[in-house]
Structures are given as C-alpha cells and as structure tokens.
Amino acid sequence: MQNTRRAPEVLSPAGTLEKLKVAFDYGADAVFIGGQAYGLRSRAGNFSFEEMSEGVSYAESHNGHLYVAANMVTHEGNEEGAGEWFRKLRDIGIHAVIISDPALVAICVAEAPGLPIHLSTQASATNYETLEFWKSLGLERVVLAREVSMAELAEIRKNTNVQIEAFVHGAMCISYSGRCVLSNYMSLRDANRGGCSQSCRWKYDLYDLPFGQERRSIKGGIPEEFSMSAVDMSMIEHIPDMIENGVDSLKIEGRMKSIHYVSTVTMVYRAAVDAYLESPEKFESIKPDLVKELWKVAQRELDTGFYYGVPDENKQLFGARRKIPEYKFVGEVVSFDAKTMTATIRQRNVIMEGDIIEFYGPGFRHFETKVLNLRLAATGELIDRAPKPMELLLIDLPEAVEVGDMIRKNGESLINLYQPDGKSMTVRA
C-alpha cells in the first residue's frame, strides 16, 4: 500500500437544511444534497435555490464544501433547462455538481464553466482508464462504483491523479451501481430518473410452477419470504486501508436518513479519520467504540460490500435479523444553563421520568444519566411522561452539555439472533 497518509474528506448526506447543518456540526468536511431537478431521490427533502444558498454559507462558515447531486439518466426532453439550472448552482456558490449522464456533463461544461463536476457512482467507474477519460473531459473527481475491490482501488490510485471518492457507509444496491429497472416494472417508477420504489427491499414468495398445474407456494426453512435486499456497507474498521490507498473523499450514503443517523455516522467517521491520522495505535484503541457507536442508529446489518471479495448469500437480508440497533433518538439540546445545570431539550420521541438516556455531541463526547425532574419548559410543571414530539422540556443534568447535542435511550427492543438450524431466538437488550 502507498503510505500517502493524507487527510481524506468526510462527506455526509443531507436531505434537508437541518440535516446539512447537523452534518457540518458533527464533523463533516463536505455535504452532498439534491436539488429539485435532475437527481435520483425524488422523495428526499430536496433543496430550493434559497436553501442551497443558505447551505453554502453554512458550509463555508465551517470551512466545508457543498455538492449537489444531478445524477439522473436523461431521456429525450429531460435535459431541457439544465444549462440554466447549472449556471444557477454555480452562481449560488455550489462547490461541485455530481453527474452521471454524459449529456448533462456536456451541458454543464459548455453552459456553466467554472462549476466543478464529479462523476456519479451511477456511471460505474471501475478502472483507472475510465477516470483518465473523464479527466480529459474536464472532471476533477470520480465517485467509484460500489463494486470496486480494495485491490482495484489501489491500482486505480497508482495510475491516475484524479480525485477518488469512495463509499464507506450506507445502503448497497442489488443492481450494478444502482442502475436498476426493477422499480419501473413493479411500480411504474423510474429508478434512474428519481423514482425508485426500492422493489428489491420488498418480500417475495417462491412458487413451484408444474406444467399445466396450479402454482404452489414453496415455504422453505427460513422464517420470512425471499428478498433481494443487500445488507448495508460499513468500512469503519478499514479506514486505514482507505487512507493508505489514497482515497480523497469518504462518502456516507443516506440523504433520506434521520438527523440521528447523520449526526452519529458523521461523528464516528470523523473520529476514525482523526484517530488514524494521529496514529494507527490510536485508531486501533478506539475501533471497538466506533463500531459500537454505529450500532446505536437504525440500519440494516453491516458488511464491507465488494471491497474484500464478492458478497455471498450471507450478505443478503433473509430470515430473522441477526442484529438490531437497540437505541432510539429522543431529543436534542436547545440550551443549557451552567448555573443550574439544567438543559432545555426539544423532544423527538417519548421521554419518561427515570429513563436512562445518553447525551452525545461533536468530538465523540458521550455520557449517560437518568432523567430527573422532567418538566415542561413553558410552565415548569413536573411531569412523569412527555409524549408530544417537538415539545420543549427541562432536565437536570450532572454534566455540562452543548447546544446541538443529541439524546437517545436504550429501548426495550428484542435482538433477534438467527440460528444455523433456521430457528431464531430472542434476548432482551
């Protein structure tokens, strides 16, 4: 491996302006968002030009960058107005646009000169010759296909100076680089033009179809129907490989995820990068805590995707869940009075007197405490239970917190552990 040891960019997703600000607050160097045209997440909270402008200002106040995904596959007529749209992004101050379709690349180069272009993972770049081709057209960065192995990544880095962006965390697609038409058939929603209904995540049955006879459902030894759903990617234990092989940007997937997800995953990868750059020994010492932290947010099971071999059937979601996150997000700190050691929090889920809750914040700060003297911020009235989302509450604390710190609690969930005999057992978290 090359000993580059350069600090890679931590690149986080944001589906809303709130999530964008949280990502930067929790350590992102850059954030990628979607606009209201040309993207692949039509159901995400896509940004207006006004929100983009505010996002640019917030990014720059944190010495960060803001990128806009415009990675749809265009059919005839879809590209109309793209030139004006790209010029608007450039003039707002967007730091780069992420594109997969050559037509949109050509339009952006011709009609919005000065706006940097990153090649989307949808374009399936899997070798250095491809990166050199796009470099010749003026692109400065390529997002590698998720199907690239670590050995291939190392070879690509040795043979090109194009910036490399690679996914390190988030959802995997059952189709090659996400170029799928299953949604088109199953729900008449074009996955390549922003309408994916995630048909691969649905549950399907298997049928025996003897010639000339009625079809019969086949019930096998697994406790749920057949699916084509892949586990999520997590490279948190392999950040050294990403850094040593010269990856310029570590990309976290999830523009439709919660602020709990964005804050936690961003914080964890920020801590991982900083620790490894300080020393490999420091990274190894905190690695178990990083893994544990990631399992506090809702997600599918985790694996390393294609980096260390082609995924087998154990990298698919079937049968009972082998591991389930136990924590749920319950609130965030709005203000803190250091004299009275009282926090004002905005509630997101039910909080009860006596709950054991965890506060966490940027810089990998954590502590647990019991909810004591729970009361309404508006009246000071003591309450046993706060069920109303977004209500302002007061809590007495043993330690100081900061505005923007998040709160979660360990729920009463059951963890399902899949057994080799096809049965499942449950243990209380």
Side-chain angles (χ1 to χ4, degrees), residues 24-58:
F24 281 116
D25 290 346
Y26 277 75
D29 298 299
V31 167
F32 67 100
I33 64 174
Q36 295 179 340
Y38 310 110
L40 283 184
R41 287 291 181 269
S42 61
R43 291 182 295 160
N46 293 316
F47 284 59
S48 66
F49 290 134
E50 292 76 16
E51 290 171 324
M52 288 184 189
S53 182
E54 185 175 346
V56 168
S57 297
Y58 202 82

Side-chain angles (χ1 to χ4, degrees), residues 164-196:
I164 294 175
E165 185 176 305
F167 281 92
V168 293
H169 198 92
M172 295 287 287
C173 184
I174 200 68
S175 295
Y176 209 94
S177 294
R179 296 183 297 175
C180 176
V181 295
L182 186 61
S183 176
N184 302 54
Y185 285 103
M186 301 301 294
S187 59
L188 299 180
R189 287 168 47 176
D190 192 338
N192 298 296
R193 287 192 284 175
C196 182

Side-chain angles (χ1 to χ4, degrees), residues 8 14 29 31 59 76-77 114 157 162 197 215 222 267 285-286 293 299 303 317 322 356 394 404 426-427:
D29 298 299
V31 167
E76 286 300 332
R157 178 73 293 163
V162 176
S197 59
R215 67 182 184 180
I222 60 173
M267 177 179 67
S285 71
I286 71 166
E293 192 72 14
Q299 59 200 336
D303 194 72
L317 296 175
R322 284 157 283 195
I356 302 299
L394 299 176
T426 56
V427 294

